[in-house]
Amino acid sequence: MNASSPPPSPAAPADLLRWQFDLTWSLFEYHMERIEPDDFLWEPAANCWTVRRSADGTWTPDWADTEPDPVPVPTIGWLSWHMGWWWSVATDHARGRTPRDRHSVIWPGAGAPAVEWLRGLRTEWLTALDGLTATDLASPARFPQQDDAQYTVAHMIAWVNAELMKNVAEIGQLRLQRAAAPPTAR
């Protein structure tokens, strides 16, 4: 860069949020390309949250309405369900739809079904974002902070990016821990 030329203009907020999302997603793809079906239900500790088969064959996540103390260690299966839940609700809000109830977000199962589900949620999310205008980004958002008008749709998108980044790091760490564990601990 020439010292006499002006610095590049900052990206528009939507462009910056999209860049951050794409960066985080690329890190997630690294793990999704390497994740094994058995990684999803591996329990890294005695006190953990996972997803369990119900009598009807669907997967049900462990859940408590108030956070337990100590907080259970989640499995990759639980984390991927959790991502599907908050992402579905965020997409509903971005599209102006009534948000789904937690119980209506069904985890599809370990391995390829979960990976494809998450990739599909990414596509839905990006389609919703592509339809937002600058006015939309500045409008109040009801998610994730209920009834707080100071938070905008841009804040919601930044929250999704942060939540995705956190969950991607957790999934990556669990995948690496399981791979490094002695065979008897897997």
Side-chain angles (χ1 to χ4, degrees):
M1 172 192 268
N2 181 335
S4 63
S5 63
S9 299
D15 295 339
L16 187 57
L17 289 167
R18 176 61 187 263
W19 173 85
Q20 184 184 45
F21 176 87
D22 289 341
L23 173 64
T24 302
W25 187 262
S26 70
L27 298 171
F28 194 29
E29 281 292 344
Y30 174 84
H31 292 294
M32 286 197 305
E33 290 170 0
R34 291 160 179 80
I35 201 162
E36 299 293 329
D38 289 343
D39 292 341
F40 284 85
L41 298 176
W42 176 66
E43 296 186 4
N47 180 27
C48 73
W49 272 354
T50 191
V51 286
R52 302 173 196 284
R53 281 241 190 238
S54 299
D56 67 1
T58 61
W59 292 92
T60 304
D62 292 333
W63 186 261
D65 288 326
T66 57
E67 191 165 76
D69 184 18
V71 176
V73 177
T75 63
I76 292 174
W78 190 91
L79 286 164
S80 61
W81 165 81
H82 178 67
M83 288 174 68
W85 171 46
W86 61 252
W87 216 349
S88 296
V89 172
T91 302
D92 289 341
H93 280 281
R95 291 191 163 190
R97 300 185 300 222
T98 301
R100 286 166 244 204
D101 177 77
R102 172 176 52 88
H103 301 294
S104 68
V105 177
I106 306 298
W107 189 66
V115 169
E116 291 309 312
W117 181 53
L118 293 170
R119 286 179 176 146
L121 289 169
R122 173 187 177 267
T123 300
E124 284 182 54
W125 178 246
L126 293 178
T127 300
L129 293 187
D130 288 345
L132 297 176
T133 66
T135 301
D136 294 330
L137 291 173
S139 65
R142 294 191 37 103
F143 184 76
Q145 302 296 326
Q146 300 279 335
D147 303 319
D148 192 339
Q150 74 175 336
Y151 292 102
T152 65
V153 171
H155 286 100
M156 178 183 70
I157 295 168
W159 178 87
V160 165
N161 287 351
E163 190 70 13
L164 178 65
M165 196 176 307
K166 177 181 80 72
N167 290 155
V168 165
E170 291 168 323
I171 288 171
Q173 188 62 37
L174 285 167
R175 187 186 70 75
L176 292 171
Q177 283 179 324
R178 182 169 186 266
T184 56
R186 290 186 226 155

